[in-house]
Amino acid sequence: MTAEEVKATGHFPLPGQITALKLAGALGVTGSPTGGFAASFLQAAHCASGPAAQNMAMIRQTRRLYVGNIPYAITEAEIAEFFNTAMIQLKLSGGGRNPVVSVSINHEKNYAFVEFSTAEEATAAMAFDGVSFRNQSLKIRRPKDYLPPPGGEYFAPSLHVPGVVSSNVQDTPHKVFIGGVPPYFNEDQVMELLKAFGELRSFNLVKDAVSGLSKGFAFCEYLDPSVTDIACQGLNGMEVGDKKIIMQRASVGSGKLLMGDTPGASASSSTPAQPSNGSFFNPGATTLEVSTVLMFLNMVTAEELENDEEYQEILMDVKEECERFGPVVDIRIPRVKDGSDESHVGKIFVMFTVPEQSSAALRSLAGRKFSERTVLGSYFSEAKFLAGEFV
């Protein structure tokens, strides 16, 4: 047997060359090393460039994630340690083992590919999109050539990492479009308005790819879907600077109904949502139910109300500010420690003697800053206020 013939058998592979037996095993090809080995080898070699190899590549892509905006001069080991530690702490890895298999960094373009042990762990790791790592907000996405498996997408809709707002807003029935955003508003300022109604699952302020400047619109999704319509009713039509906010559910697909029998509004639609009880201030609206009672949001937090002295200071500050528009009959600032429902905490209710006073206060205070937060205000039902129903 010549040297070439020996090499062809595969028994003595060159350095780095995979043997036919290993290849056959990896591809699930069975066969005896003697007799049927040649047939097994040919079958394995054929599969390596056929559907089986493509299937293996697809499966691998379900375990890999693109991680952009990584810290400068970071190493593969440091990225792996970050994901391993975070996922083990949150019990997102199987059996408490390290979920990261490998990391590959492109320092020139400032991104990395991270491969996990399972597709489910890769999906779980997508919850870290937007997390701050060494003062960098990571951008986590599927690879461009990723294809969902035949059985459907690996998706964990309930998974949320506390304190993390993803920059990837999924196309769900709860996706919200925010238009009319002043171009000088940054992400933090827009999120400040949105968070007055609840925590965000995801948020994305759309920017020009070349200049990096805001295009004046954004998308978001709330962690609690039940506040979506409340937020849309509250912010739609609100004047911010020289713009009027348009906020409504974004359309998902063409002609789909988002919630029950309510048609989804197109992202380019400028038709404002119809206000309901407690409609937020919109100077151009004609359907506002004027009341002697006002409700303010985004003025206080639950933490600020815990201390009795700080609570009294806030109470006096609000009273003093509102009395510039007329006598204040009553002020209510619900607190958990006083037995109020948690959903009421963070709201401030002020009752004036006549509607003219409350209207003047609303026009002056809505949109102003209080403790560096933009104040949102609306009329509120007198009957509910007197009955202690702060919803």
Side-chain angles (χ1 to χ4, degrees), residues 302-372:
E303 292 75 17
E304 293 172 338
L305 301 176
E306 290 178 355
N307 182 276
D308 291 337
E309 291 185 5
E310 190 170 0
Y311 173 79
Q312 289 299 325
E313 289 180 6
I314 293 173
L315 197 66
M316 293 306 297
D317 286 344
V318 174
K319 186 174 186 293
E320 181 180 346
E321 187 68 24
C322 290
E323 283 182 336
R324 297 191 298 110
F325 307 96
V328 172
V329 177
D330 194 8
I331 297 180
R332 305 280 182 90
I333 307 180
R335 296 195 296 176
V336 173
K337 65 184 300 181
D338 295 334
S340 297
D341 188 283
E342 289 187 4
S343 63
H344 304 162
V345 177
K347 301 176 181 178
I348 295 180
F349 301 87
V350 182
M351 185 175 192
F352 293 85
T353 55
V354 293
E356 288 76 13
Q357 297 164 352
S358 61
S359 297
L362 185 58
R363 291 179 180 276
S364 176
L365 300 178
R368 285 180 52 184
K369 290 282 187 177
F370 187 86
S371 297
E372 298 305 314

Side-chain angles (χ1 to χ4, degrees), residues 52 54-64 119 147 154:
Q54 294 175 1
N55 187 50
M56 289 178 64
M58 288 174 59
I59 292 174
R60 184 176 183 232
Q61 287 300 72
T62 65
R63 303 196 304 261
R64 301 176 76 226
L147 292 175
Y154 294 113

Side-chain angles (χ1 to χ4, degrees), residues 13 56 94 119 135 159 206 213 244:
M56 289 178 64
N135 297 320
L159 185 62
V206 181
L213 298 176
K244 186 177 290 187

